[in-house]
């Protein structure tokens, strides 16, 4: 069934019911001297390149490859359109390795035709904090599909991760592979229902008119929580404390320090938005919410070309009810002209999705660990990790 994945140190379907297998690494690390020193072989017309995302030219080539060939929905109506600024942010966290930003070019023309990336992360699984790679942006040009290039890309990123003495990875995919640690669902909250219906993202409900639908999704013009404001650099210590404490309750979650929070949570125009609640009485930060910007191209529509989507990232409430905090997130997203606010059913998100008028999406997002076995599949609410 899975000629490649059956050869890899990942949980296998045949072992799913075997509870005698231990939790933890599947294979032990090998001495670095035993890691293959040369890249894997590509078909002769192609060559490996390391992509310098600080280079405007390279970043634009990656952007163009992804904007034309990356993930589409099942009906091929929308395609993710990660911006250049987003890609730079996603690939340049503290301690990143340029060698993990891997491209494949046509030797003769130098055209970029495939891409895969890793970034370093500390991920806690139960009480075990593990150095991992988060692998993302695997993309093969549409004209080179089904030629078994993806397994070579995955083996090459694995080799370069091993060279840094890292032996585990985390990744997500819309497809089922051996074997998910959990399977999540996206939920969508309409902010601009008219456009979402016009472009075929949503449909008018039964016995609903356009004007009833627009009224249903109306939001206040301004946020309701006293002390709700944009996060600033000075908030990093407090937000880090809130987030570290919050994430402890999940089975799998990132282990983030202040430098990580400064990178991943501090607002960056057009990429990541974050808001804190600063108590008007004590001036302490008691809550925060965050969402990232990931538009989708609308394929073959006569008038609309992009869907502006916000994706819920990390949210922590200690004083403000989570429902109210996330309603304020919807209000600021609407002010910023997003068409839709998306959230996975991870962490405590299930407690606000239905109440705040999110609807379930079709298709799942499966989470995976490489070279780390869990005894049981997790509920989405046991997962404290959002990958971009
Ligand atoms: C996928 N998304 O099952 P078997 S997500 C992993 N992730 O292998 P070929 C995938 N594996 O089943 P194509 C996968 N999709 O025979 C397919 N596969 O064992 C497996 N799409 O290869 C598949 N981006 O080259 C099969 O397929 C084998 O030409 C078939 O290429 C696949 O970034 C792909 O959805 C996805 O660009 C590149 O379809 C192509 O179809 C494409 O014949 C549109 O491949 C964009 C898209 C995927 C987004 C993502 C996470 C990737 C994780 C990769 C695994 C990382 C493992 C950890 C490595 C570090 C370890 C350490 C330490
Ligand atoms: Mg291929």
């Amino acid at each position: 069934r899975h000629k490649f994945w059956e050869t890899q140190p990942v949980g296998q379907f045949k072992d799913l019911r075997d509870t005698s297998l231990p939790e933890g690494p599947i294979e032990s690390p090998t001495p670095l001297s035993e890691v293959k020193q040369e890249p894997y072989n590509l078909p002769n017309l192609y060559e490996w390149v390391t992509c310098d995302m600080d280079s405007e030219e390279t970043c634009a080539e990656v952007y163009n490859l992804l904007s034309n060939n990356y993930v589409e929905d099942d009906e091929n109506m929308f395609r993710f359109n990660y911006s250049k600024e987003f890609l730079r942010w996603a690939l340049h966290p503290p301690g990143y390795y340029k060698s993990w930003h891997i491209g494949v070019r046509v030797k003769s023309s130098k055209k970029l035709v495939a891409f895969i990336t890793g970034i370093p992360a500390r991920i806690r699984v139960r009480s075990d904090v593990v150095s991992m790679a988060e692998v993302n942006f695997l993309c093969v040009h549409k004209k080179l599909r089904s030629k078994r290039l993806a397994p070579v890309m995955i083996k090459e990123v694995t080799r370069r991760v091993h060279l840094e003495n890292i032996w585990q990875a985390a990744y997500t995919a819309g497809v089922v592979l051996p074997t998910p640690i959990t399977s999540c669902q996206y939920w969508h909250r309409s902010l601009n229902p008219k456009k979402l219906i016009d472009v075929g993202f949503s449909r008018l409900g039964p016995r609903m008119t356009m004007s009833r639908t627009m009224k249903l999704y109306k939001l206040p013009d301004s946020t309701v929580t006293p002390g709700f404001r944009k996060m600033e650099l000075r908030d990093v210590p407090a937000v880090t404390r809130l987030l570290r404490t919050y994430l402890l309750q999940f089975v799998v979650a990132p282990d983030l320090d202040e430098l990580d929070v400064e990178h991943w949570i501090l607002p960056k125009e057009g990429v990541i938005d974050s808001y804190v609640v600063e108590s008007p009485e004590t001036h302490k930060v008691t809550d925060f919410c965050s969402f990232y910007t990931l538009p989708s191209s609308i394929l073959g529509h006569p008038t609309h070309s992009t869907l502006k989507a916000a994706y819920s990232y990390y949210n922590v409430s200690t004083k403000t009810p989570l429902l109210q905090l996330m309603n304020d997130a919807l209000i600021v997203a609407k002010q910023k002209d997003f068409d839709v606010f998306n959230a996975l059913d991870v962490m405590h998100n299930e407690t606000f999705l239905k109440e705040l008028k999110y609807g379930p999406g079709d298709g799942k997002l499966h989470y995976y660990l490489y070279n780390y076995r869990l005894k049981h599949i997790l509920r989405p609410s046991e997962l404290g990790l959002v990958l971009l």
Side-chain angles (χ1 to χ4, degrees):
R1 286 260 19 240
H2 291 285
K3 271 296 167 235
F4 168 65
W5 281 109
E6 281 167 11
T7 69
Q8 298 298 299
V10 293
Q12 299 293 336
F13 289 116
K14 64 173 173 50
D15 298 335
L16 271 182
R17 307 170 51 86
D18 188 344
T19 53
S20 70
L21 294 166
E23 285 206 342
I26 296 169
E27 292 178 351
S28 309
T30 59
L32 287 183
S33 58
E34 287 172 28
V35 178
K36 193 170 156 2
Q37 292 300 123
E38 15 359 273
Y40 283 89
N41 289 324
L42 281 171
N44 242 310
L45 296 175
Y46 306 101
E47 64 187 16
W48 295 112
V49 289
T50 292
C51 293
D52 177 2
M53 296 299 287
D54 280 328
S55 148
E56 188 56 49
E57 191 188 349
T58 304
C59 189
E61 289 179 278
V62 169
Y63 169 81
N64 287 328
L65 175 73
L66 296 180
S67 65
N68 291 305
N69 301 277
Y70 199 51
V71 177
E72 300 180 7
D73 66 303
D74 290 337
E75 289 155 7
N76 311 104
M77 294 173 68
F78 310 100
R79 190 188 304 124
F80 283 145
N81 185 19
Y82 289 89
S83 69
K84 289 185 272 187
E85 303 66 45
F86 190 110
L87 292 170
R88 283 213 186 85
W89 171 69
L91 295 176
H92 287 170
Y96 78 89
Y97 301 97
K98 198 170 82 177
S99 61
W100 293 6
H101 305 157
I102 307 171
V104 173
R105 292 188 189 277
V106 177
K107 276 182 187 163
S108 57
S109 64
K110 304 294 168 192
K111 182 185 162 78
L112 184 71
V113 293
F115 192 60
I116 190 168
T117 68
I119 54 169
R122 289 179 312 281
I123 308 278
R124 182 181 51 76
V125 183
R126 302 193 200 281
S127 59
D128 191 9
V129 178
V130 184
S131 281
M132 297 199 193
E134 291 177 355
V135 177
N136 202 350
F137 304 116
L138 168 60
C139 182
V140 169
H141 193 285
K142 286 184 180 226
K143 295 201 164 152
L144 295 177
R145 297 279 170 88
S146 306
K147 297 174 184 298
R148 310 299 298 182
L149 208 52
V152 187
M153 309 280 305
I154 294 166
K155 284 190 279 187
E156 181 61 13
V157 76
T158 301
R159 188 185 71 82
R160 295 187 191 197
V161 170
H162 286 168
L163 285 172
E164 303 299 340
N165 200 21
I166 293 174
W167 305 87
Q168 271 75 32
Y171 50 104
T172 59
V175 293
V176 178
L177 304 164
T179 56
I181 60 162
T182 186
S183 297
C184 302
Q185 208 178 9
Y186 269 112
W187 290 65
H188 310 284
R189 206 299 184 177
S190 299
L191 301 175
N192 186 355
K194 167 124 184 10
K195 176 171 167 187
L196 294 179
I197 290 167
D198 284 349
V199 304
F201 182 87
S202 23
R203 287 197 306 222
L204 213 47
R207 293 174 300 282
M208 286 289 278
T209 61
M210 189 62 85
S211 62
R212 256 205 90 201
T213 304
M214 288 167 55
K215 187 173 157 208
L216 175 66
Y217 292 116
K218 264 228 173 323
L219 287 162
D221 287 322
S222 49
T223 58
V224 309
T225 307
F228 187 93
R229 59 163 174 83
K230 192 172 167 190
M231 182 188 171
E232 299 174 17
L233 185 59
R234 63 185 163 102
D235 300 315
V236 164
V239 167
T240 305
R241 282 193 299 272
L242 283 172
L243 188 52
R244 288 185 62 82
T245 305
Y246 178 70
L247 291 177
L248 285 177
Q249 67 193 296
F250 303 106
V251 177
V252 174
D255 178 64
L256 300 170
D257 64 18
E258 290 186 5
L259 276 177
D260 299 318
V261 167
E262 180 176 339
H263 180 82
W264 290 120
I265 312 285
L266 199 63
K268 195 174 294 290
E269 175 81 37
V271 174
I272 171 83
D273 283 283
S274 313
Y275 293 85
V276 298
V277 180
E278 177 183 333
S279 161
E281 293 86 36
T282 66
H283 295 283
K284 285 198 187 323
V285 172
T286 55
D287 321 85
F288 80 94
C289 60
S290 58
F291 54 87
Y292 59 87
T293 296
L294 169 50
S296 280
S297 304
I298 305 170
L299 307 176
H301 192 275
T303 56
H304 292 291
S305 64
T306 53
L307 198 65
K308 216 184 158 206
Y311 286 74
S312 174
Y313 196 35
Y314 292 99
N315 311 298
V316 178
S317 77
T318 68
K319 291 274 148 51
T320 309
L322 185 60
L323 204 77
Q324 181 181 319
L325 184 72
M326 295 311 292
N327 200 52
D328 279 344
L330 294 176
I331 292 167
V332 292
K334 175 71 192 177
Q335 286 171 354
K336 288 175 173 267
D337 203 39
F338 287 94
D339 299 314
V340 62
F341 197 104
N342 299 327
L344 288 164
D345 54 359
V346 298
M347 295 182 273
H348 291 154
N349 292 359
E350 281 210 298
T351 66
F352 64 77
L353 293 171
K354 284 181 179 154
E355 189 100 54
L356 294 180
K357 301 172 184 166
Y358 289 68
D362 35 17
K364 298 222 128 187
L365 185 68
H366 307 280
Y367 277 75
Y368 302 93
L369 294 178
Y370 184 93
N371 194 25
Y372 202 100
R373 186 189 291 105
L374 290 188
K375 263 188 191 297
H376 303 285
I377 191 160
L378 305 179
R379 291 183 287 274
S381 61
E382 293 178 301
L383 185 76
L385 177 64
V386 177
L387 299 179
L388 303 171

